[in-house]
Amino acid sequence: MPFKCCVPNCNGNYKNGPKVATFSFPKNEEMERKWLHAICRKNFPATNNSKVCELHFRLSEIERETSHYVESTGKLLTSHPRLIEDAVPSQFPNCSRYMTTNDAPKRLAPETKRMKLEHVMIEQAIERSIETEQVFNEKIGFSNLDELYAKLKERIDLQKWIVSRRDNILYILYIEDISYPNIKCCVRVSEDFTLRLFYGSRVVTKLNEKFNVPFIVSSVIEIKDILHQVLISMNKKYQDCSAMENINACIDILKSLLVILPQRKPVIEFLL
């Protein structure tokens, strides 16, 4: 008759339980204490009839039966399942979960619990922050001019700016309409997202200390910021440009007078 398993709540080799291989307690006292501790039967008097079944060991800890032929006797010898050295019960499928880990759950100190809770809350906050950043980047980012065109029309002031698309170029125009329509400023974004800036017919290479033009844009926010800076500086820069053009025009007129009125050369040279 097979030995029954002595582990609490295990029905190995019982009438209604599975038929399993069983193993005797170790002869070594230290190992026996480990077994008794593992199965939560510290005061259990283990005897030769006390067995622990295979259900409580890892598969890697059990060496299954093998057979070999002995030529000298002509007999086939069979060895039954046995445990590897230092194997300790660790699997308890029908018992409380903590028994499988060998250690009962320990109560955490209040400070440890607080720190653990803070750590969990920080991780959750980071996850939410990452998700929020991803959503935000999806709203302001773009992968082609069509996406940029659509998002610009949602985010910029269309009362001030006109967004236009032609071929592989996106134009953002500021038109001054006083006596006649005049494109006062043009922001040009090419297919590779290079942004260029023009005041009238003049190419702008430096908007302010923050922006050197041209540059590669990667978000709608950058373009919106550029447009804001343009509105602040456009009038001053445009006026400076117009004043310089007027001065250059006057110089050209004076130079032409040198040819027409050579007798006035001293006066004209003085003015120059």
Side-chain angles (χ1 to χ4, degrees):
M1 183 176 179
F3 289 100
K4 297 179 177 62
C5 181
C6 69
V7 173
N9 297 323
C10 181
N11 58 359
N13 287 339
Y14 281 79
K15 183 177 180 180
N16 297 323
K19 303 306 176 186
V20 290
T22 57
F23 306 100
S24 300
F25 277 76
K27 301 299 182 183
N28 181 283
E29 291 184 3
E30 183 180 352
M31 286 297 294
E32 181 180 313
R33 283 196 297 271
K34 288 183 179 181
W35 278 42
L36 291 172
H37 175 73
I39 66 174
C40 291
R41 300 194 70 170
K42 292 183 180 180
N43 298 320
F44 177 72
T47 67
N48 291 334
N49 294 327
S50 302
K51 308 291 181 180
V52 176
C53 77
E54 62 181 296
L55 297 177
H56 308 296
F57 297 91
R58 296 183 178 90
L59 294 177
S60 59
E61 295 175 324
I62 302 173
E63 294 179 346
R64 294 296 173 181
E65 63 181 34
T66 57
S67 299
H68 63 279
Y69 180 75
V70 181
E71 293 184 2
S72 59
T73 61
K75 294 182 179 180
L76 184 67
L77 298 181
T78 301
S79 59
H80 296 285
R82 62 179 182 177
L83 296 173
I84 64 172
E85 188 177 0
D86 297 332
V88 176
S90 60
Q91 310 301 305
F92 302 94
N94 297 321
C95 302
S96 300
R97 186 178 177 185
Y98 72 83
M99 291 183 65
T100 299
T101 60
N102 290 340
D103 293 315
K106 297 179 181 179
R107 297 185 64 181
L108 299 176
E111 181 65 17
T112 304
K113 289 177 67 176
R114 184 186 65 79
M115 292 179 65
K116 187 175 181 180
L117 180 60
E118 287 181 355
H119 180 71
V120 171
M121 293 176 66
I122 290 172
E123 286 187 339
Q124 291 175 346
I126 291 173
E127 288 179 2
R128 288 195 297 269
S129 177
I130 292 173
E131 291 175 358
T132 302
E133 183 181 6
Q134 289 174 343
V135 172
F136 180 72
N137 288 336
E138 288 176 1
K139 289 183 178 180
I140 67 171
F142 47 84
S143 58
N144 54 60
L145 288 181
D146 288 333
E147 289 183 7
L148 175 58
Y149 178 76
K151 291 181 179 181
L152 277 175
K153 296 193 75 172
E154 293 176 356
R155 287 185 166 266
I156 67 173
D157 187 353
L158 297 179
Q159 296 295 321
K160 296 179 180 178
W161 299 96
I162 296 174
V163 183
S164 177
R165 171 80 186 277
R166 177 178 292 182
D167 298 329
N168 295 324
I169 303 294
L170 188 69
Y171 298 97
I172 308 168
L173 308 172
Y174 184 92
I175 297 178
E176 185 180 64
D177 192 357
I178 300 176
S179 56
Y180 61 90
N182 175 37
I183 298 178
K184 194 171 183 180
C185 173
C186 172
V187 176
R188 179 180 183 272
V189 182
S190 56
E191 194 173 23
D192 62 353
F193 307 128
T194 299
L195 183 146
R196 290 179 170 81
L197 178 62
F198 304 87
Y199 286 150
S201 59
R202 187 167 68 91
V203 178
V204 178
T205 57
K206 189 176 183 65
L207 179 58
N208 52 30
E209 295 300 324
K210 185 177 179 181
F211 293 107
N212 290 319
V213 187
F215 70 96
I216 304 294
V217 291
S218 58
S219 74
V220 177
I221 297 297
E222 283 183 308
I223 297 178
K224 193 174 180 181
D225 194 12
I226 278 279
L227 298 181
H228 176 69
Q229 297 297 327
V230 164
L231 289 176
I232 293 174
S233 63
M234 183 167 50
N235 288 331
K236 179 179 181 302
K237 289 184 178 292
Y238 193 79
Q239 289 168 2
D240 290 346
C241 178
S242 299
M244 184 58 67
E245 288 176 353
N246 291 335
I247 291 172
N248 290 334
C250 290
I251 291 173
D252 291 339
I253 292 172
L254 289 172
K255 286 181 178 179
S256 64
L257 288 175
L258 282 174
V259 178
I260 300 172
L261 302 171
Q263 66 275 18
R264 299 293 184 181
K265 183 177 180 180
V267 177
I268 295 172
E269 287 181 344
F270 174 77
L271 293 174
L272 288 171

